[in-house]
Amino acid sequence: MKTAVILAHPKPSSFCAAVSRTSVETIEASGAEVVLRDLYAMDFDPRLKTGELPTPQGWTMAPDIIAERALLADVEHFVFVYPFWFNAPPAILKGYIDRVFSMGFGYQPGSHGGDPLLVGKTLMTFSTSGAPEHWIDSTGALNALMSVFDLHLAAVTGLRVLGHEHLGGIVAPMRQDAADDLLQRVRASVLAV
């Protein structure tokens, strides 16, 4: 089985980058195939173009999206890694979803709207923030994010959400033992799915 780890953080030395590296290493150590898609390193363009909007006359996929969909065609598991900014993922990840997981990959026209195309495939998310985890939980911020992002994406595409692990209190400088404990949580979550 093939897994795609999709990282949406601009800083290569970020804790999110460490989470994505840990995820990749854990998946590879289990013997599975994994591909890392570092959206900022790829300089992914998140802007949906006019010609990419489906119309009754059709639409034209950009070459970068054709290539990305081909790379992801045999992926069974998706792992998103991103910072929780203003209670939402970074715009680059939203644009990636808009352009890559749209018509023809995530869903297709159906008699009652859209028919999901990723049924049987899974989604696991790791998000980070400087806010403590108890604040994210007590304010309902994580539940709100999951409703409008994880669960909506799953409903449209057919992905099965395996979990959303939020790692809070990520501030610099971070003690190495605290970082190691959080990365151990990442390893355990990745192995569990």
Side-chain angles (χ1 to χ4, degrees):
M1 288 202 238
K2 185 175 178 182
T3 300
V5 175
I6 300 166
L7 170 62
H9 196 291
K11 193 173 179 182
S13 61
S14 69
F15 190 73
C16 276
V19 169
S20 67
R21 283 190 303 273
T22 298
S23 298
V24 167
E25 291 164 4
T26 303
I27 295 163
E28 286 177 338
S30 76
E33 183 181 357
V34 63
V35 58
L36 174 63
R37 308 307 291 152
D38 182 339
L39 302 184
Y40 282 94
M42 293 164 48
D43 197 25
F44 180 79
D45 183 356
R47 296 170 300 155
L48 185 65
K49 314 299 185 292
T50 301
E52 295 175 308
L53 293 171
T55 68
Q57 294 75 35
W59 73 97
T60 304
M61 274 190 293
D64 64 327
I65 301 307
I66 293 170
E68 193 68 14
R69 288 179 172 188
L71 183 85
L72 301 177
D74 59 345
V75 166
E76 294 294 321
H77 307 288
F78 293 92
V79 177
F80 292 167
V81 181
Y82 61 83
F84 195 53
W85 288 339
F86 291 96
N87 289 349
I92 199 167
L93 181 57
K94 175 64 167 75
Y96 186 82
I97 298 301
D98 289 347
R99 296 186 70 213
V100 177
F101 283 72
S102 61
M103 183 84 72
F105 183 81
Y107 61 91
Q108 66 186 2
S111 58
H112 301 289
D115 290 335
L117 294 175
L118 300 177
V119 174
K121 299 182 182 209
T122 63
L123 171 64
M124 175 71 188
T125 299
F126 294 100
S127 60
T128 66
S129 71
E133 289 180 38
H134 68 83
W135 183 88
I136 298 294
D137 289 336
S138 68
T139 62
L142 184 58
N143 286 338
L145 169 67
M146 288 185 67
S147 290
V148 299
F149 196 69
D150 303 47
L151 299 177
H152 180 72
L153 178 63
V156 171
T157 64
L159 287 169
R160 184 169 50 96
V161 177
L162 298 177
H164 186 130
E165 183 93 21
H166 182 75
L167 308 169
I170 308 300
V171 293
M174 189 172 187
R175 288 189 352 248
Q176 189 60 50
D177 62 325
D180 291 343
D181 287 347
L182 291 173
L183 293 176
Q184 186 55 40
R185 276 177 54 189
V186 170
R187 283 185 200 90
S189 293
V190 168
L191 287 173
V193 298

